[in-house]
Amino acid sequence: MKIETERFVEKAKEGLANESQREVLSRLPVLFKGLRDYAMSTLPDARAALDTGAAIRTNAIARMPELLAQFEENITKNGVTVLWAEDYDDAKEIVLKLAKERGVNMITKGKSMLTEEMGLNAELIASGIDTFETDLGEFIVQQAKRTPFHIVGPAVNITTDEIADLFVKVMGVERTMDLNELTMQARDFLRHKFLSAQMGITGVNMAVAETGTIVLVENEGNIRYSTSAPKTHVAVMGIEKVVPTMNDALHMLRLLTRSCTGQAISSYISLINGPKRPDDIDGPEEVFLVIVDGGRSKIYADPEFREVLQCIKCGSCLNSCPVWTKVGGYAYGWVYSGPIGAVLNPLLVGEDRAKDLYFATSLCGTCKSVCPAGIDHPKLLLKHRERRAFGDKTFGGKKPPLTERLIMSIWSWGLKGNGRYRLGSRLFRLAIKPFVSNGKLTRLPEPGRGFTEVRDLPEPPSKTFRDHWRDAVERKTDGEERSTT
């Protein structure tokens, strides 16, 4: 997937100008949020459940090296071959090698954000292996050659009209606007792929250390098909997916499905412990697990950003974000969007390539309030800004331009003294006078140009708040003196 995080401002403007997208965003987040809130209300004590979820994920990430070792030992005993990949290229090479060794020419895939990060589909297809996403939303996105609009609903913004045209082009079916018929067309098309595929690839929602179990969550049955129909199942997981116990996994499942789609439980939950046993009626003959670092160890080593690894990719923070609900998912230019994208993308693709993301936030904190993993998004967004002020070599961030640093230094100096602040206020009001027209401030030079590009500001009044306060105090004092006299 092409990384376009540096185009955030441009793509956000495109999103705001897209009437169809605005229509979707006026309804979709409200629906998702309503479903999530209702589902959480069915828990005996939702707040306690969220606190427990946060504690589980905090503990899991704190113990990640130890838990990964335990998980590898147990899943290996279960008959799964574990392969480690340091980065995306390593992971793609491993999967491609497995496919070539087995003469695979068709693969079905379950939804996996990590393989989106890796650009795995493009690598497999370029090597001559037909690769099909089988989650309906991901299938539409893949065929339309787009990026996911939403972590949970990757194609929720694509209209029925567009999908109908797409299916005619891709599958050669009769055009229809009937939603059930469209779904059946995709089902029939993919059913043949499931029966022909020699390898199934999935992600991993959770990895249970104490049992060596892979947990997969879905609603369509496509993942179950991808893990059981082909002879070979390859699961691809990030190192942060591990949890200590099955009880921990089951508790996180209760929060994950409620936060994702407002369901008490999703239609399919798969607990995979290994390949098919002699008395099993179906299942893969061999299972491989590719555990990918992909920059996560670097995040783990940074105590200030480590908590972002607690994310369980539920997408709940998107639905409540006042920025995502206006600009949509494409603006973020990569796999992850919304508050979690604004925090995580700069750490994975580089601070300089994604610096606009963590400034595009109101810091209202609703993302933090709905997070089932206990992530403090506003704190991490502010940490990004702080790191940028000084340059962040660890995650590829350069210092801001000299002009910006100089202005911020003056601003900082001015805020450290009452007299300085008052003098600065008066000088600022004089400096912007040339840009005032008909009582409005319609244009400003850098660094204030962004404020006036899309809005006019009223001309500052002749008196500051401090002036009014001083006058009020003086009037009150004079009145008291006259009264006494």
Side-chain angles (χ1 to χ4, degrees):
M1 180 183 291
K2 186 179 179 182
I3 300 172
E4 295 186 306
T5 47
E6 61 270 47
R7 293 182 58 208
F8 176 81
V9 174
E10 176 189 347
K11 290 171 79 69
K13 288 178 180 176
E14 291 174 3
L16 290 168
N18 186 322
E19 289 187 19
S20 170
Q21 180 173 300
R22 287 211 309 269
E23 171 65 19
V24 171
L25 290 173
S26 69
R27 294 180 284 106
L28 178 77
V30 177
L31 174 63
F32 271 143
K33 188 173 182 302
L35 290 171
R36 180 261 177 200
D37 290 347
Y38 174 75
M40 292 301 294
S41 72
T42 62
L43 294 170
D45 187 338
R47 187 65 258 169
L50 288 171
D51 290 344
T52 301
I56 288 171
R57 288 303 294 155
T58 302
N59 175 51
I61 296 305
R63 298 171 54 200
M64 193 168 70
E66 163 207 341
L67 294 175
L68 282 170
Q70 183 187 6
F71 172 67
E72 181 184 21
E73 180 182 348
N74 287 329
I75 199 168
T76 301
K77 288 178 184 173
N78 293 340
V80 175
T81 302
V82 177
L83 303 162
W84 294 83
E86 184 176 347
D87 54 30
Y88 300 150
D89 287 340
D90 281 350
K92 287 186 288 189
E93 187 178 330
I94 288 170
V95 175
L96 194 56
K97 185 168 181 281
L98 290 171
K100 286 183 174 177
E101 287 174 350
R102 286 153 183 78
V104 171
N105 56 36
M106 184 176 292
I107 291 173
T108 54
K109 270 188 80 247
K111 188 170 182 291
S112 159
M113 302 306 288
L114 177 54
T115 59
E116 294 269 6
E117 286 181 40
M118 293 160 47
L120 180 60
N121 286 2
E123 187 79 12
L124 293 170
I125 292 170
S127 300
I129 302 172
D130 289 338
T131 305
F132 293 92
E133 291 288 348
T134 57
D135 171 270
L136 181 56
E138 284 289 340
F139 173 70
I140 293 169
V141 166
Q142 182 193 20
Q143 300 306 322
K145 297 181 172 48
R146 296 192 189 183
T147 54
F149 188 76
H150 188 285
I151 291 176
V152 178
V156 289
N157 63 312
I158 302 179
T159 64
T160 307
D161 206 41
E162 289 178 277
I163 295 171
D165 288 339
L166 181 68
F167 281 11
V168 171
K169 179 182 175 183
V170 173
M171 299 186 278
V173 294
E174 186 177 340
R175 193 179 195 280
T176 177
M177 292 289 284
D178 183 278
L179 295 179
N180 289 332
E181 185 60 29
L182 283 169
T183 305
M184 291 306 296
Q185 288 176 345
R187 184 176 183 271
D188 289 343
F189 180 82
L190 290 172
R191 181 60 57 93
H192 292 291
K193 307 305 177 191
F194 284 126
L195 296 175
S196 305
Q198 301 95 359
M199 177 181 283
I201 297 177
T202 69
V204 173
N205 288 105
M206 274 170 274
V208 184
E210 72 171 354
T211 58
T213 304
I214 295 169
V215 182
L216 291 166
V217 182
E218 57 166 328
N219 273 315
E220 300 174 14
N222 62 299
I223 289 180
R224 183 73 58 83
Y225 238 134
S226 293
T227 59
S228 56
K231 290 183 177 179
T232 304
H233 171 210
V234 178
V236 183
M237 69 170 261
I239 58 175
E240 78 280 15
K241 294 289 187 179
V242 70
V243 294
T245 68
M246 185 59 77
N247 280 341
D248 291 336
L250 295 177
H251 183 81
M252 294 313 300
L253 268 180
R254 299 167 76 203
L255 298 180
L256 176 63
T257 56
R258 283 175 167 83
S259 300
C260 275
T261 52
Q263 294 169 285
I265 196 71
S266 58
S267 302
Y268 296 84
I269 302 291
S270 299
L271 305 179
I272 297 175
N273 287 300
K276 175 184 176 183
R277 292 166 299 191
D279 55 345
D280 288 341
I281 59 173
D282 61 16
E285 296 175 2
E286 52 183 359
V287 179
F288 295 91
L289 175 64
V290 184
I291 303 179
V292 185
D293 185 315
R296 286 153 173 80
S297 288
K298 193 161 64 173
I299 300 174
Y300 175 80
D302 188 320
E304 293 183 322
F305 281 120
R306 181 183 296 177
E307 78 177 62
V308 75
L309 296 176
Q310 294 170 206
C311 179
I312 57 174
K313 310 296 187 299
C314 68
S316 187
C317 61
L318 278 64
N319 306 326
S320 59
C321 174
V323 177
W324 187 92
T325 53
K326 291 292 181 293
V327 303
Y330 293 152
Y332 292 81
W334 201 47
V335 181
Y336 305 107
S337 59
I340 191 61
V343 174
L344 186 56
N345 289 351
L347 302 175
L348 293 176
V349 307
E351 289 272 0
D352 269 3
R353 298 194 69 176
K355 61 180 181 297
D356 289 329
L357 273 60
Y358 49 80
F359 282 103
T361 167
S362 65
L363 299 174
C364 65
T366 54
C367 42
K368 175 185 174 184
S369 70
V370 298
C371 180
I375 297 174
D376 188 342
H377 303 78
K379 181 189 74 176
L380 297 176
L381 291 165
L382 288 173
K383 183 55 65 179
H384 272 303
R385 298 181 187 182
E386 180 188 335
R387 291 279 186 96
R388 173 172 157 69
F390 301 100
D392 187 352
K393 293 180 180 177
T394 304
F395 295 105
K398 297 175 186 171
K399 288 182 180 180
L402 180 61
T403 308
E404 184 178 332
R405 280 184 279 150
L406 183 60
I407 291 171
M408 288 302 168
S409 296
I410 294 172
W411 179 263
S412 175
W413 177 83
L415 289 175
K416 291 176 181 172
N418 188 33
R420 297 175 193 177
Y421 182 81
R422 281 185 292 172
L423 176 62
S425 297
R426 296 188 186 287
L427 290 176
F428 175 73
R429 296 152 78 84
L430 287 174
I432 63 173
K433 275 283 185 188
F435 304 102
V436 173
S437 174
N438 296 322
K440 291 183 178 178
L441 191 58
T442 56
R443 60 185 175 87
L444 277 175
E446 290 290 1
R449 193 174 65 181
F451 284 101
T452 52
E453 274 188 343
V454 292
R455 69 178 75 80
D456 293 335
L457 300 175
E459 179 184 6
S462 57
K463 287 187 176 181
T464 65
F465 174 78
R466 285 167 177 264
D467 293 334
H468 284 292
W469 185 267
R470 184 193 59 221
D471 291 349
V473 170
E474 287 176 353
R475 284 196 298 272
K476 183 179 179 183
T477 304
D478 289 345
E480 289 173 350
E481 287 175 351
R482 281 196 294 273
S483 174
T484 303
T485 303

